[in-house]
Every structure is written in structure tokens, then in C-alpha cells.
């Protein structure tokens, strides 16, 4: 059911699918985020309330998958920038994600300003033999050099619509 209301970006090299990422806008009338399932009833809402953010101003990023052959490349950064552009286009203030520890997803997300959600801690995910870190990042606070890539992805996905997008901020230091 999440896929019906989500944005998906896929990455192909030639005919080969090598990566993908999904973003789902959250809505105050629904508790259908992956983090709702992972954290438990009401905990995501409490974390967002602690930061004075409404669900309607968030997108949840999940399914960041990249073929192991390309994980050390710039392609993962492009996938994240592309979904960040979608979030900005949708007017999102915040990106939330369930980031794993086994493959260091939480560290990767941290490079883009990701931080642990308030009132949360790593949660065992036995089905994946992993622990999940509920994380967030402000769409307007980007590490040095990342804003240009988000802008490039915005221009690629939404040509001619830059004047209708949320203004892209000056980069954080």
C-alpha cells in the first residue's frame, strides 16, 4: 500500500537496474509510514512533535538500494539528491528514514545531515538481522556541496518548474 502513494527513482546503467530509492509523503490522517511500524504506535508523531513538525511536512525515504558494485561510487549520492529534490518539490520540511546499522546506512544518511529522531533509539529488526535507527534531516540544511547536486536533480526531474519549487537554501557549513 505504501508504493501507491510514493515516488520512486530508479537508476539504470544501460539496461541494467543498479539502484532505487522511494519517498512517501506523510499525511496527518494516516499512520502508514514504515517508521510507524518500526517505532510503534504514536512514537513517530511524538518525535515530530518534539521538533514542532507536522507529518504533512515530511516525506519518508526508504528502499535505498544500490548494487554492491556501485556503492563506493557517486551514484548513491545522486540517488539521495534526486529524492531530496522530490521532497523539496513537494514542499517537505523534513525527511525521515529508518536507517540500518549492519551496512552503515545510518552513517551514510548522516553525511547528508541525518540525525537520530528525538525520543528514539536503535530498534532490533530481527527479520533483517539488523538494528534500525529512526533518523531525520531538514531539507533546508544540506552539507557543503550537496545543494548544487539537489538543484541539478531538480532541473533534471522538473525542467522549467524551478520557479514553482520551494526555494533551495544556502548550504549549511
Amino acid at each position: 500500500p505504501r508504493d501507491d502513494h510514493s515516488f520512486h527513482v530508479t537508476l539504470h546503467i544501460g539496461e541494467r537496474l543498479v539502484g532505487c530509492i522511494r519517498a512517501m509523503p506523510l499525511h496527518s490522517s494516516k499512520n502508514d509510514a514504515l517508521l510507524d511500524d518500526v517505532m510503534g504506535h504514536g512514537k513517530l508523531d511524538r518525535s515530530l512533535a518534539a521538533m514542532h513538525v507536522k507529518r504533512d511536512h515530511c516525506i519518508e525515504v526508504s528502499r535505498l538500494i544500490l548494487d554492491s558494485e556501485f556503492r563506493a561510487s557517486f551514484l548513491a549520492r545522486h540517488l539521495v539528491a534526486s529524492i531530496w529534490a522530490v521532497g523539496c518539490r513537494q514542499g517537505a520540511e523534513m525527511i525521515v528514514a529508518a536507517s540500518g546499522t549492519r551496512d552503515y546506512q545510518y552513517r551514510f544518511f548522516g553525511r547528508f545531515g541525518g540525525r537520530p529522531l528525538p525520543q528514539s533509539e536503535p530498534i532490533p529488526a530481527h527479520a533483517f538481522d539488523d538494528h534500525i535507527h529512526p533518523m531525520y534531516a531538514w531539507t533546508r540544511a544540506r552539507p557543503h556541496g550537496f545543494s548544487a547536486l539537489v538543484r541539478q536533480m531538480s532541473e533534471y526531474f522538473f525542467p522549467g518548474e524551478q520557479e514553482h519549487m520551494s526555494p533551495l537554501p544556502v548550504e549549511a557549513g
Side-chain angles (χ1 to χ4, degrees):
R2 291 182 181 104
D3 284 342
D4 294 344
H5 307 287
S6 298
F7 297 90
H8 297 83
V9 176
T10 59
L11 176 62
H12 292 83
I13 296 184
E15 296 293 317
R16 182 176 167 200
L17 175 65
V18 298
C20 63
I21 192 168
R22 171 178 76 178
M24 182 178 75
L26 301 184
H27 299 282
S28 60
S29 61
K30 298 179 184 175
N31 288 337
D32 59 351
L34 178 64
L35 279 172
D36 288 315
D37 295 342
V38 170
M39 294 175 72
H41 181 71
K43 291 183 180 178
L44 174 59
D45 290 326
R46 284 192 289 278
S47 289
L48 294 175
M51 294 183 292
H52 307 287
V53 176
K54 296 181 181 179
R55 287 177 80 93
D56 293 329
H57 299 146
C58 298
I59 62 168
E60 181 183 55
V61 173
S62 60
R63 290 194 183 160
L64 171 58
I65 300 168
L66 189 60
D67 189 302
S68 60
E69 179 180 341
F70 298 99
R71 287 188 185 158
S73 73
F74 62 91
L75 296 176
R77 190 172 170 86
H78 277 72
L79 275 172
V80 173
S82 67
I83 216 68
W84 211 290
V86 169
C88 289
R89 171 80 164 51
Q90 294 296 306
E93 293 177 24
M94 182 179 285
I95 294 171
V96 295
S99 298
T101 59
R102 189 181 66 208
D103 291 328
Y104 303 105
Q105 288 178 335
Y106 73 103
R107 288 184 186 173
F108 178 74
F109 193 50
R111 289 187 215 140
F112 301 100
R115 295 186 177 9
L117 273 168
Q119 303 178 12
S120 73
E121 55 188 53
I123 302 158
H126 302 292
F128 303 105
D129 188 30
D130 204 351
H131 282 79
I132 302 297
H133 282 261
M135 298 185 76
Y136 76 96
W138 297 103
T139 58
R140 297 187 170 281
R142 302 185 198 132
H144 184 71
F146 192 57
S147 286
L149 187 55
V150 171
R151 193 171 284 113
Q152 180 184 354
M153 294 294 104
S154 295
E155 291 166 1
Y156 177 79
F157 287 114
F158 311 108
E161 294 189 28
Q162 298 307 304
E163 63 275 6
H164 301 292
M165 291 185 64
S166 300
L168 294 174
V170 176
E171 295 177 10

